[in-house]
C-alpha cells in the first residue's frame, strides 16, 4: 500500500489526471435492472469489415445477429444480482473448479484443498486436505471430472480421486512447476498429466497414477516457459501458451506435434490469428476451451482484453476491451447504463492497479463459457459480465453492487438430483417427480481479491439480503487473534475518549467520537492523536460540496498506517449513517483497509454508507470546516495553500 495506485482515498481522480468531478450530494444515479447492452466497454469485432451478412450495397443496413432461444439459455444461468452464500478457507482462496461429477474443489494460498458436493441447492462439504506446504499455483480437472491435480511452489504435484474424495498420488517433481493439465480423453486406460517447468521450456508427461518418473519429456513444443495448457477431449489436442505469448497446438502422443487428422484444422499458422498475443505484447493469463471445443477464450492482463478464437481455424472472432482507459472514458461520458458514483469508481480503479501488480492474483483471473458455448462469463471492475458472443451484447452483470473484486470463476449447470439415463418416454411424460429430479441449480462459483472466501451466485438472492452475516457462512474456526478480539471485554468508553479537538492552522474543529459504535476506529484515532502522529499533516484532498480528507503523513493520499501497523476491519452499524454533513469517517481503499486517513463530509453522502466507518462528527468549529472547503485546489483536489493539523487533543 505504499505506491500511488493503491491510495486510500474516498475518491480518486481519473487515470488521465483530469478531475472526474465531485459526486452528487445524494445517492448515485440508479442503474437499470433490465437492459444492460451498453454496460461497460462494448464488445468490438477484431476487424471492421468482418462478420457481415452479405448485403454489399453502400447504404445497405447490416442484419442484426440473433441467438435463437437466447432466453432459454439465460434461464439456465445464474441471474441474482448478489451472491447468496459464501464459505471460508483459512487463507485467500485462489482457485474454484466445478467438475462434471457434480463436485466443487476449492484451493487456497496456504496449500489447502477442500472438496464439496453439489446438492440440489447449494453445496455440502466433503473433505479437507493440506495438499502443499506452500501456495497452490496450478490446478486441473480431467475431462471426465474424475481426477483432479494440483501443483505448488513446494515442487510437488498431488492427484485426487474426486468422486471418492481421496488423495491417490503424490509426485515429487524436483523442479518448480508452472502449468498443469490432464491430457487424456474419457475412458482412456492411462491417466496422463502434463506439467511444465516454470523456468524452462520443458513439459513433462506423467502417469497420474504412477511414480514420479516422467513418461515423456518435451522440449521442442515451445521456446519459452509454458504457463498455460488446456486439453480438448473431442480432438485429443492440447493448446498451450508460453510467457512470450506464443500459442501452440499439439497432440499428447508421438510425435508431440500438431495433429493432421482433425478435419478443418488450420494448416499454416500464418493463416491464423494466433500471433495476436505476441503482436499485442499481451500474453494470455488464462485459456479456456468451450464445452464443444469449437472455440477458446483467453484473457490478457497486459491490455485487459478478452479474446475469443475459433479453435479449428485459429481466427479471432471476438475481442472485448476491458481496459481501464475504456472504462474510464465511459464513466466520464456517462454512456454506461450502470453508472458508478465517482468515489466508488475511483476506489475500484485504485484496486485494479493494485491487482495488476500481484502475480498471485493475476494468475487466477479467467473467463469461462456456459454449456452452450454462446456466452462468455468473466469478472471485471464493474462486476461479472455474461456476454452473448453471437449477438455481441452484454446479457447481464452479476455482483455489480458488491464491494469485492471477483477474480477466478467456475460455472456449474448440471442437475444434481439426476441419476442415470432419461428415456424419451420418461422425458415426454408429465411426471412431477421426474421433473423435480431434472431441476437445475445453475451456480457460478467465484473467488475474490484478498478474500478468504469463495462466493456462490445462483438464480435466487440470499434469504436475508440485509444481513450479510447470514449469507457469509463461518465454516472455519476463528484464528487466535479473532478469538482474542471476541473474548476481550468491551473497553470503557471513557478510556478511549469521547471528544477531540483538531487544532489546525485555520482554526479548531471540535469532534464528538463514537467509541460505542466504532471502538477500533476511535482507538486508532486517539492513539495517533496522543502520539503526535497527526501533527504537521495537511488536508491533502478537499472537494467542495463533498469532504475534506487528511491523516496521510506523505500528504498525497498514498501513505499512513494504523497504530497496530496493519490495516484493520470496518465497523458498520445501522445506528450511524452519512445522512448529514460534518460526519467523521475512515478513508480506505476497499473493505478492511483502514489505516490513518480520515475525512469530514460537508454534505449528506448516503452512498458512503457501509463503505466507510463512521467514528465521529464535527460539532463545533464548523466555520473552519467550510473555510477549508472553499480553498483553491489543483486538478488532484490538493489545496494550493494547504492547511495543517498542528495538534490533536483528546478528552
Amino acid at each position: 500500500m505504499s505506491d500511488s495506485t493503491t491510495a486510500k482515498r474516498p475518491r480518486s481522480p481519473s487515470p488521465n489526471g483530469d478531475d472526474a468531478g465531485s459526486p452528487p450530494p445524494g445517492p448515485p444515479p440508479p442503474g437499470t435492472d433490465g437492459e444492460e447492452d451498453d454496460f461497460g466497454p462494448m464488445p468490438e469485432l477484431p476487424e471492421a469489415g468482418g462478420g457481415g451478412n452479405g448485403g454489399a450495397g453502400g447504404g445497405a443496413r447490416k442484419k442484426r445477429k440473433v441467438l435463437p432461444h437466447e432466453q432459454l439459455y439465460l434461464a439456465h444461468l445464474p441471474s441474482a444480482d448478489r451472491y447468496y452464500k459464501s464459505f471460508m478457507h483459512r487463507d485467500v482462496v485462489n482457485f474454484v473448479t466445478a467438475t462434471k461429477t457434480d463436485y466443487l474443489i476449492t484451493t487456497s494460498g496456504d496449500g489447502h484443498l477442500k472438496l464439496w458436493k453439489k446438492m440440489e441447492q447449494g453445496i455440502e462439504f466433503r473433505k479437507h486436505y493440506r495438499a502443499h506446504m506452500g501456495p497452490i499455483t496450478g490446478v486441473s480437472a480431467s475431462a471426465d471430472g474424475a481426477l483432479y491435480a494440483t501443483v505448488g511452489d513446494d515442487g510437488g504435484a498431488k492427484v485426487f480421486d474426486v468422486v471418492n474424495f481421496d488423495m491417490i498420488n503424490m509426485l515429487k517433481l524436483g523442479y518448480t512447476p508452472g502449468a498443469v493439465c490432464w491430457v487424456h480423453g474419457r475412458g482412456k486406460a492411462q491417466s496422463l498429466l502434463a506439467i511444465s517447468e516454470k523456468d524452462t521450456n520443458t513439459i513433462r508427461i506423467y502417469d497420474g497414477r504412477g511414480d514420479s518418473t516422467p513418461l515423456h519429456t518435451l522440449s521442442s513444443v515451445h521456446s519459452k516457459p509454458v504457463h498455460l495448457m488446456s486439453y480438448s477431449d473431442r480432438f485429443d489436442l492440447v493448446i498451450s501458451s508460453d510467457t512470450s505469448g506464443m500459442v501452440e497446438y499439439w497432440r499428447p502422443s508421438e510425435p508431440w506435434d500438431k495433429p493432421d487428422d482433425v478435419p478443418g484444422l488450420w494448416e499454416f499458422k500464418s493463416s491464423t490469428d494466433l500471433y495476436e498475443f505476441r503482436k499485442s505484447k499481451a500474453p494470455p493469463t488464462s485459456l479456456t476451451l468451450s464445452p464443444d471445443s469449437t472455440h477458446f477464450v483467453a484473457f490478457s492482463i497486459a491490455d485487459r482484453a478478452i479474446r475469443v478464437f475459433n479453435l479449428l481455424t485459429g481466427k479471432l472472432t471476438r475481442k472485448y476491451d476491458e481496459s481501464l482507459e475504456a472504462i474510464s472514458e465511459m464513466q466520464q461520458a456517462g454512456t454506461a447504463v450502470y453508472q458508478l458514483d465517482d468515489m466508488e469508481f475511483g476506489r475500484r480503479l485504485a484496486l485494479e492497479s493494485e491487482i495488476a501488480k500481484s502475480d498471485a492474483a493475476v494468475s487466477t483471473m479467467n473467463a469461462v463459457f456456459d454449456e452452450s458455448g454462446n456466452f462468455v462469463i468473466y469478472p471485471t471492475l464493474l462486476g461479472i459480465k455474461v456476454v452473448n458472443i453471437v449477438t455481441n451484447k452484454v446479457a447481464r452483470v452479476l455482483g455489480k453492487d458488491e464491494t469485492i473484486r471477483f477474480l477466478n470463476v467456475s460455472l456449474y449447470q448440471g442437475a444434481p438430483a439426476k441419476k442415470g439415463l432419461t428415456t424419451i418416454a420418461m422425458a415426454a411424460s408429465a411426471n412431477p417427480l421426474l421433473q423435480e429430479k431434472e431441476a437445475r441449480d445453475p451456480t457460478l462459483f467465484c473467488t475474490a481479491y484478498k478474500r478468504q472466501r469463495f462466493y456462490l451466485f445462483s438464480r435466487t438472492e440470499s434469504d436475508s439480503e440485509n444481513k450479510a452475516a447470514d449469507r457469509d457462512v463461518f465454516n472455519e474456526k476463528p484464528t487466535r487473534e479473532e478469538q482474542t478480539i471476541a473474548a476481550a471485554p468491551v473497553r470503557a468508553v471513557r478510556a478511549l475518549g469521547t471528544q477531540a479537538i483538531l487544532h489546525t492552522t485555520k482554526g479548531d474543529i471540535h469532534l464528538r467520537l463514537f467509541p460505542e459504535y466504532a471502538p477500533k476506529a476511535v482507538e486508532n484515532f486517539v492513539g495517533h492523536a496522543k502520539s503526535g502522529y497527526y501533527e504537521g499533516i495537511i488536508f491533502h484532498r478537499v472537494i467542495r460540496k463533498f469532504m475534506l480528507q487528511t491523516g496521510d503523513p506523505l500528504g498525497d493520499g498514498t501513505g499512513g498506517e494504523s497504530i497496530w501497523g496493519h490495516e484493520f476491519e470496518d465497523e458498520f452499524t445501522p445506528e450511524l449513517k452519512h445522512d448529514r454533513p460534518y460526519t467523521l469517517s475512515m478513508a480506505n481503499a476497499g473493505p478492511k483497509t483502514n489505516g490513518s486517513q480520515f475525512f469530514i463530509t460537508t454534505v449528506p453522502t448516503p452512498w458512503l454508507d457501509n463503505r466507510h466507518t463512521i467514528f465521529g462528527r464535527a460539532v463545533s468549529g464548523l466555520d473552519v470546516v467550510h473555510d477549508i472547503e472553499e480553498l483553491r485546489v489543483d486538478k488532484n483536489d490538493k489545496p494550493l495553500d494547504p492547511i495543517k493539523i498542528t495538534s490533536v487533543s483528546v478528552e
Side-chain angles (χ1 to χ4, degrees):
M1 306 299 292
S2 59
D3 59 274
S4 60
T5 59
T6 60
K8 299 180 181 178
R9 303 170 176 170
R11 173 187 175 278
S12 295
S14 58
N16 60 12
D18 295 334
D19 192 342
S22 301
T32 61
D33 55 4
E35 298 183 7
E36 296 178 355
D37 291 347
D38 298 325
F39 190 106
M42 280 301 296
E44 58 184 15
L45 288 170
E47 298 180 15
N53 274 347
R61 190 170 182 175
K62 188 180 294 184
K63 188 176 180 180
R64 191 171 183 176
K65 290 186 177 181
V66 176
L67 173 63
H69 315 297
E70 178 180 12
Q71 293 307 313
L72 180 61
Y73 293 131
L74 287 173
H76 287 84
L77 287 171
S79 57
D81 287 335
R82 307 184 69 201
Y83 71 86
Y84 83 99
K85 277 285 188 269
S86 76
F87 296 88
M88 296 178 66
H89 270 249
R90 298 311 302 271
D91 203 347
V92 175
V93 182
N94 51 9
F95 293 104
V96 288
T97 309
T99 71
K100 291 182 172 63
T101 48
D102 296 342
Y103 274 84
L104 172 73
I105 301 141
T106 59
T107 65
S108 53
D110 56 359
H112 287 247
L113 175 147
K114 293 185 179 183
L115 294 104
W116 313 75
K117 182 71 172 72
K118 184 70 183 72
M119 309 305 288
E120 292 183 39
Q121 185 171 15
I123 57 176
E124 187 176 278
F125 175 73
R126 283 291 186 264
K127 205 160 185 179
H128 178 191
Y129 286 96
R130 175 70 183 270
H132 296 269
M133 298 306 294
I136 293 176
T137 56
V139 300
S140 177
S142 61
D144 58 4
L147 296 174
Y148 190 77
T150 63
V151 294
D153 286 340
D154 58 358
K158 303 295 170 62
V159 178
F160 298 85
D161 180 339
V162 176
V163 177
N164 295 310
F165 36 92
D166 187 23
M167 182 190 291
I168 60 173
N169 201 6
M170 297 186 292
L171 303 176
K172 294 182 179 179
L173 305 178
Y175 57 88
T176 303
V180 59
C181 182
W182 291 104
V183 293
H184 65 277
R186 306 184 195 193
K188 294 293 180 67
Q190 195 172 37
S191 305
L192 299 179
L193 185 64
I195 302 177
S196 67
E197 189 169 349
K198 185 177 181 179
D199 300 320
T200 72
N201 65 335
T202 305
I203 302 173
R204 295 176 176 85
I205 310 295
Y206 296 86
D207 180 353
R209 301 176 186 270
D211 57 25
S212 300
T213 304
L215 301 175
H216 305 281
T217 301
L218 317 178
S219 57
S220 59
V221 177
H222 284 269
S223 60
K224 299 291 183 182
V226 177
H227 70 299
L228 294 173
M229 290 187 287
S230 190
Y231 173 72
S232 167
D233 177 40
R234 177 179 178 182
F235 300 118
D236 191 23
L237 172 73
V238 179
I239 306 177
S240 55
S241 172
D242 61 33
T243 53
S244 69
M246 289 299 296
V247 176
E248 302 291 349
Y249 288 21
W250 51 281
R251 176 157 284 169
S253 59
E254 296 286 354
W256 315 100
D257 205 350
K258 183 178 77 70
D260 54 11
D261 58 350
V262 176
L265 188 64
W266 54 268
E267 184 177 0
F268 300 105
K269 201 171 187 179
S270 57
S271 66
T272 72
D273 294 324
L274 297 178
Y275 291 106
E276 165 77 8
F277 302 106
R278 188 72 179 268
K279 291 178 184 176
S280 304
K281 296 181 179 180
T285 50
S286 77
L287 196 156
T288 308
L289 285 163
S290 63
D292 60 0
S293 291
T294 58
H295 293 80
F296 67 90
V297 60
F299 170 71
S300 300
I301 189 63
D303 58 4
R304 295 180 181 270
I306 300 288
R307 295 175 172 88
V308 181
F309 289 82
N310 182 296
L311 177 68
L312 295 179
T313 65
K315 290 292 186 181
L316 179 64
T317 60
R318 288 286 185 263
K319 181 178 178 181
Y320 305 113
D321 184 8
E322 296 290 345
S323 66
L324 301 185
E325 293 78 10
I327 296 175
S328 297
E329 288 176 6
M330 295 194 70
Q331 171 73 11
Q332 293 178 6
T335 55
V337 172
Y338 179 70
Q339 191 81 7
L340 291 169
D341 65 78
D342 290 343
M343 185 284 304
E344 174 64 10
F345 185 72
R347 183 191 70 79
R348 294 193 186 190
L349 276 183
L351 189 62
E352 289 299 304
S353 300
E354 180 181 338
I355 291 172
K357 296 178 181 180
S358 170
D359 292 337
V362 167
S363 64
T364 66
M365 300 171 74
N366 70 334
V368 298
F369 286 93
D370 78 318
E371 63 182 0
S372 72
N374 295 315
F375 296 87
V376 170
I377 304 168
Y378 56 91
T380 71
L381 172 154
L382 298 172
I384 301 172
K385 291 188 178 180
V386 180
V387 179
N388 185 331
I389 61 174
V390 176
T391 63
N392 226 21
K393 299 288 185 181
V394 177
R396 63 178 56 140
V397 181
L398 309 175
K400 55 181 178 289
D401 294 322
E402 303 287 359
T403 57
I404 50 184
R405 174 52 158 101
F406 300 104
L407 295 179
N408 186 257
V409 297
S410 185
L411 180 64
Y412 175 85
Q413 288 184 276
K418 181 179 177 181
K419 303 295 179 186
L421 297 174
T422 303
T423 65
I424 295 177
M426 291 169 65
S429 68
N431 187 335
L433 294 178
L434 180 62
Q435 292 174 1
E436 182 179 350
K437 184 179 174 183
E438 295 282 347
R440 293 187 174 207
D441 179 32
T443 305
L444 185 69
F445 302 98
C446 321
T447 70
Y449 182 56
K450 286 187 176 180
R451 292 303 180 99
Q452 297 172 218
R453 291 183 170 274
F454 65 94
Y455 303 85
L456 284 65
F457 283 90
S458 185
R459 290 184 294 193
T460 57
E461 299 278 2
S462 175
D463 292 336
S464 51
E465 187 174 336
N466 295 324
K467 296 182 179 179
D470 291 343
R471 60 179 185 157
D472 296 327
V473 178
F474 287 87
N475 55 293
E476 286 280 3
K477 292 181 180 179
T479 63
R480 183 173 298 178
E481 179 183 358
E482 291 168 339
Q483 288 175 335
T484 302
I485 293 173
V490 178
R491 294 179 177 86
V493 170
R494 186 175 300 174
L496 291 179
T498 57
Q499 296 183 33
I501 302 175
L502 278 181
H503 303 285
T504 76
T505 53
K506 200 75 172 176
D508 293 347
I509 302 173
H510 294 253
L511 305 173
R512 179 190 169 195
L513 306 179
F514 302 139
E516 65 272 28
Y517 296 117
K520 294 210 74 170
V522 171
E523 182 181 2
N524 181 65
F525 177 81
V526 171
H528 277 324
K530 290 183 176 180
S531 69
Y533 186 88
Y534 289 132
E535 293 178 6
I537 288 180
I538 65 171
F539 285 85
H540 65 270
R541 184 169 292 270
V542 174
I543 303 175
R544 193 173 300 174
K545 300 295 184 185
F546 185 22
M547 61 91 209
L548 0 158
Q549 185 178 346
T550 182
D552 176 16
L554 300 181
D556 60 4
T558 66
E561 62 179 13
S562 72
I563 59 174
W564 302 283
H566 58 77
E567 298 167 340
F568 63 94
E569 65 274 14
D570 301 310
E571 296 169 296
F572 301 138
T573 171
E575 304 297 326
L576 297 176
K577 296 184 179 297
H578 294 84
D579 56 358
R580 66 195 74 178
Y582 317 121
T583 299
L584 177 66
S585 299
M586 294 298 299
N588 61 44
K592 301 181 181 180
T593 58
N594 299 294
S596 65
Q597 295 186 45
F598 60 91
F599 60 93
I600 303 172
T601 64
T602 59
V603 294
T605 54
W607 62 88
L608 303 184
D609 289 343
N610 296 322
R611 294 179 180 175
H612 294 267
T613 298
I614 299 173
F615 66 98
R617 283 201 170 93
V619 294
S620 184
L622 305 183
D623 55 331
V624 177
V625 172
H626 289 294
D627 286 344
I628 298 175
E629 180 189 24
E630 296 299 322
L631 292 174
R632 293 181 58 201
V633 297
D634 61 17
K635 63 181 181 180
N636 293 322
D637 303 316
K638 185 174 183 178
L640 299 178
D641 186 14
I643 302 301
K644 292 183 179 180
I645 297 174
T646 56
S647 64
V648 182
S649 54
V650 179
E651 300 177 8

